[in-house]
Amino acid sequence: PQRIFSGMQPTSDSLHLGNYLGALTQWVALQDGYDPIYCVVDLHALTVNPEPAVLRERTRRTAAQYLAAGVDPSRSLLFVQSHVPEHAQLTWILSCLTGYGEASRMTQFKDKSAKHGNEGTNVGLFTYPILMAADILLYDTALVPVGEDQRQHLELTRDLAQRLNARFGADTVVVPEPYIVKATAKIYDLQEPTAKMSKTASSPNGLVELLDDPKVVAKRIRSAVTDTEREIRFDTAAKPGVSNLLSIYSALSGRTITDLEGSYEGKGYGDLKKDLADVVVAFLEPFQARFHEFLDDPAQLDAVLADGAERAREIAAPVLARVYDRSGLLPAR
Ligand code: ATP
Ligand code: MG
């Protein structure tokens, strides 16, 4: 079966609906017929300089959310990035194959660093896509289920994989493909429906967090930004807010956008928002119950992560050894 690899950053206490619909739902579905590896990418989260105790807690919470969403450790390998030192080691090799100009073209870096200015931006944020390439290439990954915002980073990963193969032999690493499901590839901020929903960039009212109080979530959906028309119609250019609500509604209910447009004909935005809030809350309540079961059993959670790390190293170590050897590094004997 084809290898799947993906990860999320523990940059917040809770994942949000964009993470869930854009990626996590696909992760769960790909457990059938594939060989998946899902990672909590805590090294990436260091780019926001978290408090140590907060990072540790968020790493556990992120893993517990994967499990609550349906990631099943008997079918998926689940681990924490920093438990497998090969990620940082391969990053160095890839860094030396990445052009400075090439790295400078990454739009996520431009967006994130613009907020902090030159002095407030760390080099880790700049090299983040190279660490991400290492994450993926270490596992001979075929498919990477992610949201649309990761497309450019995936393209860099592919370029680096091809460069390694051109320099050191065609079978050095596997060149991965992105797996991006169009309908949910980009869930937008409720208050700013042309910007993606983001753990670190969205304002609280723009987010639907999976672990928020359902009452708060319902209120945020009811106050989502729409437009001054009345018509409930999917049109991302003219009606980004309404279209985003329809996308979320469709993904969580399994109803098509056309079906939803039909059943809201002649109704108002208030009706749509109220019903969507009910759909979201009906999803969140059991999700949160499962999350707490996993979080409240840290011994079991840590055992799952320890087992995952051990199995991950067994896969990553020979891949790194292959790249080290072909790069001309003298073997330690
Ligand atoms: P941060 O603000 O810290 O970058 P994030 O919300 O972008 O957080 P990540 O941990 O960077 O979340 O990304 C985890 C996964 O979720 C990735 O596959 C990413 O493509 C996907 N994702 C993130 N935001 C969205 C979104 N708004 N819509 C769809 N997918 C998303
Ligand atoms: Mg992100």
Coordinates of all heavy atoms in Angstrom, one line a residue, residues 8 12-22 24 65 187-192 195-225 241 244-245 247-249 252 273 276-285 287-288:
M8 N 0.4 18.2 11.8 CA -0.1 19.5 12.2 C 0.8 20.0 13.3 O 1.3 19.3 14.1 CB -1.6 19.4 12.7 CG -2.5 18.8 11.7 SD -4.1 19.3 11.8 CE -4.9 18.2 10.6
S12 N -1.6 25.7 19.0 CA -2.8 26.2 19.7 C -3.3 25.1 20.6 O -3.0 23.9 20.4 CB -3.8 26.6 18.6 OG -5.0 26.8 19.2
D13 N -4.2 25.5 21.6 CA -4.8 24.5 22.4 C -5.8 23.6 21.6 O -6.1 22.5 22.0 CB -5.6 25.1 23.6 CG -4.6 25.7 24.6 OD1 -3.4 25.4 24.5 OD2 -5.1 26.5 25.5
S14 N -6.3 24.2 20.5 CA -7.3 23.4 19.8 C -7.0 23.6 18.3 O -6.6 24.6 17.8 CB -8.7 24.0 20.1 OG -9.6 23.4 19.2
L15 N -7.3 22.5 17.6 CA -7.3 22.6 16.1 C -8.6 23.3 15.7 O -9.5 23.5 16.6 CB -7.3 21.2 15.5 CG -6.0 20.4 15.8 CD1 -6.1 18.9 15.3 CD2 -4.8 21.0 15.2
H16 N -8.8 23.7 14.5 CA -10.0 24.4 14.0 C -10.6 23.6 12.9 O -10.0 22.6 12.4 CB -9.7 25.8 13.7 CG -8.6 26.0 12.6 ND1 -8.7 25.6 11.3 CD2 -7.3 26.5 12.8 CE1 -7.6 25.9 10.7 NE2 -6.7 26.4 11.5
L17 N -11.8 24.1 12.4 CA -12.5 23.4 11.4 C -11.7 23.3 10.1 O -11.9 22.4 9.3 CB -13.8 24.1 11.1 CG -15.1 23.6 11.8 CD1 -16.3 24.4 11.3 CD2 -15.3 22.1 11.7
G18 N -10.8 24.3 9.8 CA -10.0 24.2 8.6 C -9.1 23.0 8.7 O -9.0 22.2 7.7
N19 N -8.4 22.8 9.8 CA -7.6 21.7 10.0 C -8.3 20.4 9.9 O -7.9 19.4 9.2 CB -6.9 21.7 11.4 CG -6.1 22.9 11.7 OD1 -6.2 23.5 12.8 ND2 -5.3 23.4 10.8
Y20 N -9.5 20.4 10.4 CA -10.3 19.2 10.4 C -10.8 18.8 9.0 O -10.6 17.7 8.6 CB -11.5 19.3 11.4 CG -12.4 18.1 11.4 CD1 -12.0 16.9 12.1 CD2 -13.6 18.0 10.8 CE1 -12.7 15.8 12.1 CE2 -14.4 16.9 10.8 CZ -13.9 15.8 11.4 OH -14.7 14.6 11.4
L21 N -11.5 19.8 8.4 CA -12.1 19.5 7.1 C -11.0 19.4 6.0 O -11.1 18.6 5.0 CB -13.1 20.5 6.7 CG -14.3 20.5 7.7 CD1 -15.3 21.7 7.3 CD2 -15.1 19.2 7.6
G22 N -10.0 20.3 6.1 CA -9.0 20.3 5.0 C -8.0 19.1 5.1 O -7.5 18.7 4.1
L24 N -7.6 16.6 8.4 CA -7.9 15.4 9.4 C -8.9 14.4 8.8 O -8.7 13.2 9.0 CB -8.3 16.0 10.7 CG -8.0 15.3 12.0 CD1 -6.7 14.5 12.1 CD2 -8.1 16.2 13.2
Q65 N -6.5 15.0 19.8 CA -7.5 15.4 18.8 C -7.4 14.6 17.5 O -8.4 14.3 16.9 CB -7.3 16.9 18.4 CG -7.8 17.8 19.5 CD -7.5 19.3 19.3 OE1 -8.2 20.0 18.6 NE2 -6.3 19.7 19.8
I187 N -10.7 26.4 4.1 CA -11.8 26.9 4.9 C -11.4 28.3 5.4 O -10.3 28.5 5.8 CB -12.1 26.0 6.1 CG1 -12.4 24.6 5.7 CG2 -13.2 26.6 7.0 CD1 -13.7 24.4 4.8
Y188 N -12.3 29.3 5.3 CA -12.0 30.7 5.5 C -12.3 31.1 6.9 O -13.2 30.6 7.5 CB -12.6 31.5 4.4 CG -12.1 31.2 3.0 CD1 -12.6 30.2 2.3 CD2 -11.0 31.9 2.5 CE1 -12.1 29.9 1.0 CE2 -10.5 31.7 1.3 CZ -11.0 30.6 0.5 OH -10.5 30.3 -0.7
D189 N -11.7 32.2 7.3 CA -11.9 32.9 8.6 C -13.3 33.4 8.6 O -13.8 34.1 7.6 CB -10.9 34.0 8.6 CG -10.9 34.8 9.9 OD1 -12.0 35.4 10.3 OD2 -9.9 34.9 10.6
L190 N -14.1 33.2 9.6 CA -15.5 33.7 9.6 C -15.6 35.2 9.6 O -16.6 35.7 9.1 CB -16.2 33.2 10.9 CG -16.3 31.7 11.2 CD1 -17.1 31.4 12.5 CD2 -17.0 31.0 10.0
Q191 N -14.7 35.9 10.1 CA -14.7 37.4 10.1 C -14.1 38.0 8.9 O -14.3 39.2 8.6 CB -14.1 37.9 11.4 CG -14.9 37.7 12.7 CD -16.2 38.3 12.6 OE1 -16.4 39.4 12.2 NE2 -17.3 37.5 13.0
E192 N -13.2 37.2 8.2 CA -12.4 37.7 7.1 C -12.4 36.7 6.0 O -11.4 36.0 5.9 CB -11.0 38.0 7.6 CG -10.3 39.1 7.0 CD -8.8 39.2 7.4 OE1 -8.6 39.0 8.7 OE2 -8.0 39.4 6.6
A195 N -9.5 35.3 3.9 CA -8.3 34.8 4.5 C -8.6 33.4 5.0 O -9.7 33.1 5.5 CB -7.8 35.7 5.6
K196 N -7.6 32.5 5.0 CA -7.8 31.2 5.5 C -7.9 31.2 7.0 O -7.3 32.0 7.7 CB -6.7 30.2 5.1 CG -5.5 30.2 6.0 CD -4.6 29.0 5.7 CE -3.6 28.8 6.8 NZ -4.0 28.0 7.9
M197 N -8.8 30.3 7.5 CA -8.8 30.1 9.0 C -7.5 29.6 9.4 O -6.9 28.7 8.8 CB -10.0 29.1 9.3 CG -10.4 29.1 10.7 SD -11.7 27.9 11.1 CE -13.2 28.8 10.6
S198 N -6.9 30.2 10.5 CA -5.6 29.9 10.9 C -5.4 29.9 12.4 O -6.0 30.7 13.1 CB -4.6 30.9 10.3 OG -3.4 31.0 11.1
K199 N -4.7 28.9 13.0 CA -4.5 28.9 14.4 C -3.9 30.1 14.9 O -4.2 30.6 16.0 CB -3.6 27.6 14.8 CG -4.4 26.3 14.7 CD -3.5 25.2 15.4 CE -3.1 24.2 14.4 NZ -1.8 24.4 13.8
T200 N -2.8 30.6 14.2 CA -2.1 31.7 14.7 C -2.4 33.1 14.1 O -2.1 34.1 14.7 CB -0.5 31.5 14.5 OG1 -0.3 31.2 13.1 CG2 0.0 30.3 15.3
A201 N -3.1 33.1 12.9 CA -3.4 34.4 12.3 C -4.8 34.9 12.5 O -5.1 36.0 12.4 CB -3.1 34.4 10.8
S202 N -5.8 33.9 12.7 CA -7.2 34.3 12.8 C -7.5 35.0 14.2 O -6.9 34.6 15.2 CB -8.1 33.1 12.7 OG -8.1 32.7 11.3
S203 N -8.4 35.9 14.2 CA -8.9 36.4 15.5 C -9.8 35.4 16.1 O -10.4 34.6 15.4 CB -9.6 37.7 15.3 OG -10.9 37.5 14.6
P204 N -10.0 35.4 17.4 CA -10.9 34.4 18.0 C -12.3 34.3 17.3 O -12.7 33.2 17.1 CB -11.0 34.9 19.5 CG -9.8 35.7 19.7 CD -9.4 36.3 18.4
N205 N -12.9 35.4 17.0 CA -14.2 35.4 16.4 C -14.2 34.8 14.9 O -15.2 34.5 14.4 CB -14.9 36.7 16.4 CG -15.3 37.1 17.8 OD1 -15.6 36.2 18.6 ND2 -15.4 38.4 18.1
G206 N -13.0 34.7 14.3 CA -12.9 34.2 13.0 C -12.8 32.7 13.0 O -12.8 32.1 11.9
L207 N -12.6 32.1 14.2 CA -12.2 30.7 14.3 C -13.4 29.8 14.7 O -14.2 30.3 15.6 CB -11.1 30.5 15.3 CG -9.7 30.7 14.9 CD1 -8.8 30.7 16.2 CD2 -9.2 29.7 13.9
V208 N -13.5 28.6 14.2 CA -14.3 27.6 14.9 C -13.3 26.6 15.4 O -12.8 25.8 14.6 CB -15.3 26.9 14.0 CG1 -16.1 25.8 14.7 CG2 -16.3 27.9 13.4
E209 N -13.1 26.6 16.7 CA -12.1 25.6 17.3 C -12.8 24.4 17.7 O -13.9 24.5 18.3 CB -11.4 26.3 18.5 CG -10.4 27.4 18.0 CD -9.6 27.9 19.1 OE1 -10.1 28.4 20.1 OE2 -8.3 27.9 18.9
L210 N -12.2 23.3 17.5 CA -12.9 22.0 17.8 C -13.1 21.8 19.3 O -14.0 21.0 19.6 CB -12.0 20.8 17.3 CG -11.6 20.9 15.8 CD1 -10.8 19.6 15.4 CD2 -12.9 21.0 14.9
L211 N -12.4 22.5 20.1 CA -12.5 22.3 21.5 C -13.2 23.5 22.2 O -13.3 23.5 23.4 CB -11.2 22.0 22.2 CG -10.5 20.7 21.6 CD1 -9.1 20.6 22.1 CD2 -11.3 19.5 21.9
D212 N -13.8 24.4 21.4 CA -14.5 25.5 22.0 C -15.8 25.1 22.6 O -16.4 24.1 22.2 CB -14.8 26.5 20.9 CG -13.8 27.7 20.9 OD1 -13.1 27.9 22.0 OD2 -13.7 28.3 19.9
D213 N -16.2 25.8 23.6 CA -17.6 25.7 24.1 C -18.6 25.8 23.0 O -18.6 26.8 22.2 CB -17.8 26.8 25.2 CG -19.2 26.8 25.8 OD1 -20.1 26.1 25.3 OD2 -19.3 27.5 26.8
P214 N -19.5 24.8 22.8 CA -20.4 24.8 21.7 C -21.3 26.1 21.7 O -21.6 26.5 20.6 CB -21.3 23.6 22.0 CG -20.4 22.6 22.7 CD -19.5 23.5 23.5
K215 N -21.5 26.7 22.8 CA -22.3 27.9 22.8 C -21.5 29.0 22.2 O -22.1 29.8 21.4 CB -22.7 28.3 24.3 CG -23.8 27.5 24.9 CD -24.3 28.3 26.1 CE -24.9 27.4 27.2 NZ -23.9 26.5 27.8
V216 N -20.2 29.1 22.4 CA -19.4 30.1 21.8 C -19.3 29.9 20.3 O -19.4 30.8 19.5 CB -18.0 30.0 22.5 CG1 -17.0 30.9 21.7 CG2 -18.0 30.4 23.9
V217 N -19.2 28.6 19.9 CA -19.1 28.3 18.5 C -20.4 28.7 17.8 O -20.3 29.4 16.7 CB -18.9 26.8 18.3 CG1 -19.1 26.4 16.9 CG2 -17.5 26.4 18.8
A218 N -21.5 28.4 18.4 CA -22.8 28.8 17.8 C -22.9 30.3 17.6 O -23.3 30.8 16.5 CB -24.0 28.3 18.6
K219 N -22.4 31.0 18.6 CA -22.5 32.5 18.5 C -21.5 33.0 17.4 O -21.9 33.9 16.7 CB -22.0 33.1 19.9 CG -22.4 34.5 20.0 CD -22.4 34.9 21.5 CE -22.1 36.4 21.6 NZ -20.9 36.7 22.4
R220 N -20.4 32.4 17.3 CA -19.4 32.9 16.2 C -20.0 32.6 14.8 O -19.8 33.4 13.9 CB -18.1 32.1 16.4 CG -17.3 32.7 17.6 CD -15.9 32.0 17.7 NE -15.3 32.5 18.9 CZ -14.2 31.9 19.4 NH1 -13.6 30.9 18.7 NH2 -13.6 32.4 20.5
I221 N -20.7 31.5 14.7 CA -21.3 31.2 13.4 C -22.4 32.2 13.1 O -22.5 32.7 12.0 CB -21.7 29.7 13.3 CG1 -20.5 28.8 13.3 CG2 -22.6 29.5 12.1 CD1 -20.8 27.3 13.4
R222 N -23.2 32.5 14.1 CA -24.3 33.4 13.9 C -23.8 34.8 13.6 O -24.4 35.6 12.9 CB -25.2 33.5 15.1 CG -26.1 32.3 15.2 CD -27.3 32.5 16.2 NE -26.9 33.0 17.5 CZ -26.6 32.2 18.5 NH1 -26.8 30.9 18.4 NH2 -26.2 32.7 19.7
S223 N -22.5 35.2 14.0 CA -22.0 36.5 13.7 C -21.0 36.5 12.6 O -20.2 37.5 12.4 CB -21.5 37.2 15.0 OG -20.7 36.3 15.7
A224 N -20.9 35.4 11.8 CA -20.0 35.3 10.7 C -20.3 36.4 9.7 O -21.5 36.8 9.4 CB -20.1 34.0 10.0
V225 N -19.3 37.0 9.1 CA -19.4 38.0 8.1 C -20.0 37.4 6.8 O -19.6 36.4 6.3 CB -18.1 38.7 7.8 CG1 -18.1 39.5 6.5 CG2 -17.6 39.5 8.9
G241 N -18.2 34.9 2.2 CA -18.7 34.5 3.5 C -19.7 33.4 3.4 O -19.6 32.4 4.1
N244 N -18.3 30.1 2.1 CA -17.6 29.4 3.2 C -18.6 28.7 4.1 O -18.3 27.5 4.4 CB -16.8 30.4 4.0 CG -15.8 29.8 4.9 OD1 -15.2 28.8 4.6 ND2 -15.6 30.4 6.1
L245 N -19.7 29.3 4.5 CA -20.6 28.7 5.4 C -21.2 27.4 4.7 O -21.4 26.4 5.3 CB -21.7 29.6 5.8 CG -21.3 30.8 6.6 CD1 -22.5 31.8 7.0 CD2 -20.6 30.4 7.9
S247 N -19.8 25.7 2.3 CA -18.7 24.6 2.2 C -18.7 23.8 3.5 O -18.6 22.6 3.5 CB -17.4 25.2 2.0 OG -17.3 25.9 0.8
I248 N -18.7 24.5 4.6 CA -18.6 23.9 5.9 C -19.8 23.0 6.2 O -19.7 21.8 6.6 CB -18.5 24.9 7.1 CG1 -17.1 25.7 6.9 CG2 -18.6 24.3 8.4 CD1 -17.0 26.9 7.9
Y249 N -21.0 23.6 5.9 CA -22.3 22.9 6.0 C -22.3 21.6 5.2 O -22.6 20.5 5.7 CB -23.4 23.8 5.6 CG -24.8 23.5 6.1 CD1 -25.7 24.5 6.2 CD2 -25.2 22.2 6.3 CE1 -27.0 24.2 6.7 CE2 -26.5 21.9 6.7 CZ -27.4 22.9 6.9 OH -28.7 22.7 7.3
L252 N -19.8 18.9 6.6 CA -20.2 18.2 7.8 C -21.5 17.4 7.7 O -21.7 16.5 8.5 CB -20.3 19.3 9.0 CG -19.0 19.8 9.5 CD1 -19.4 20.9 10.6 CD2 -18.1 18.7 10.1
K273 N -27.4 30.3 9.1 CA -26.4 30.3 10.2 C -26.9 29.5 11.4 O -26.1 28.7 12.0 CB -26.1 31.7 10.7 CG -25.3 32.5 9.7 CD -25.2 34.0 10.1 CE -24.2 34.7 9.2 NZ -24.2 36.2 9.7
L276 N -26.6 25.8 10.5 CA -25.2 25.4 10.4 C -24.7 25.3 11.8 O -23.9 24.3 12.2 CB -24.4 26.4 9.6 CG -22.9 26.1 9.6 CD1 -22.6 24.7 9.1 CD2 -22.1 27.2 8.8
A277 N -25.0 26.2 12.7 CA -24.6 26.2 14.1 C -25.0 24.8 14.7 O -24.2 24.2 15.4 CB -25.1 27.4 14.9
D278 N -26.2 24.4 14.5 CA -26.7 23.1 15.0 C -25.9 22.0 14.5 O -25.5 21.0 15.2 CB -28.2 22.9 14.6 CG -29.1 23.9 15.4 OD1 -28.7 24.5 16.4 OD2 -30.3 24.0 15.0
V279 N -25.6 22.0 13.2 CA -24.8 20.9 12.6 C -23.4 20.9 13.2 O -22.9 19.8 13.5 CB -24.7 21.1 11.0 CG1 -23.7 20.2 10.4 CG2 -26.1 20.9 10.4
V280 N -22.8 22.0 13.3 CA -21.4 22.1 13.9 C -21.4 21.6 15.3 O -20.6 20.8 15.7 CB -20.8 23.5 13.8 CG1 -19.5 23.6 14.5 CG2 -20.6 23.9 12.3
V281 N -22.4 22.0 16.1 CA -22.4 21.6 17.5 C -22.7 20.1 17.6 O -22.1 19.4 18.5 CB -23.5 22.5 18.3 CG1 -23.8 21.9 19.7 CG2 -23.0 23.9 18.4
A282 N -23.5 19.6 16.8 CA -23.8 18.1 16.8 C -22.5 17.4 16.5 O -22.4 16.2 17.0 CB -24.9 17.8 15.8
F283 N -21.7 17.9 15.7 CA -20.4 17.3 15.4 C -19.4 17.4 16.6 O -18.7 16.5 17.0 CB -19.8 17.8 14.1 CG -18.3 17.7 14.1 CD1 -17.7 16.5 14.0 CD2 -17.5 18.8 14.2 CE1 -16.3 16.4 13.9 CE2 -16.1 18.7 14.1 CZ -15.5 17.5 14.0
L284 N -19.4 18.6 17.2 CA -18.4 19.0 18.2 C -18.6 18.2 19.5 O -17.7 17.8 20.2 CB -18.4 20.5 18.5 CG -17.8 21.4 17.5 CD1 -17.8 22.8 18.0 CD2 -16.4 20.9 17.0
E285 N -19.9 18.0 19.9 CA -20.1 17.4 21.2 C -19.5 16.0 21.4 O -18.7 15.8 22.3 CB -21.6 17.5 21.6 CG -21.9 18.9 22.1 CD -23.4 19.2 22.3 OE1 -24.2 18.4 21.7 OE2 -23.8 20.2 22.9
F287 N -17.2 14.8 19.5 CA -15.7 14.9 19.3 C -15.1 15.3 20.6 O -14.0 14.7 21.0 CB -15.5 16.0 18.2 CG -14.0 16.2 18.0 CD1 -13.3 15.5 17.1 CD2 -13.4 17.2 18.7 CE1 -11.9 15.7 16.9 CE2 -12.0 17.5 18.6 CZ -11.3 16.7 17.7
Q288 N -15.6 16.3 21.3 CA -15.0 16.7 22.6 C -15.0 15.7 23.6 O -14.1 15.5 24.4 CB -15.7 18.0 23.0 CG -15.5 19.2 22.1 CD -16.1 20.5 22.5 OE1 -16.8 20.6 23.5 NE2 -16.0 21.5 21.6

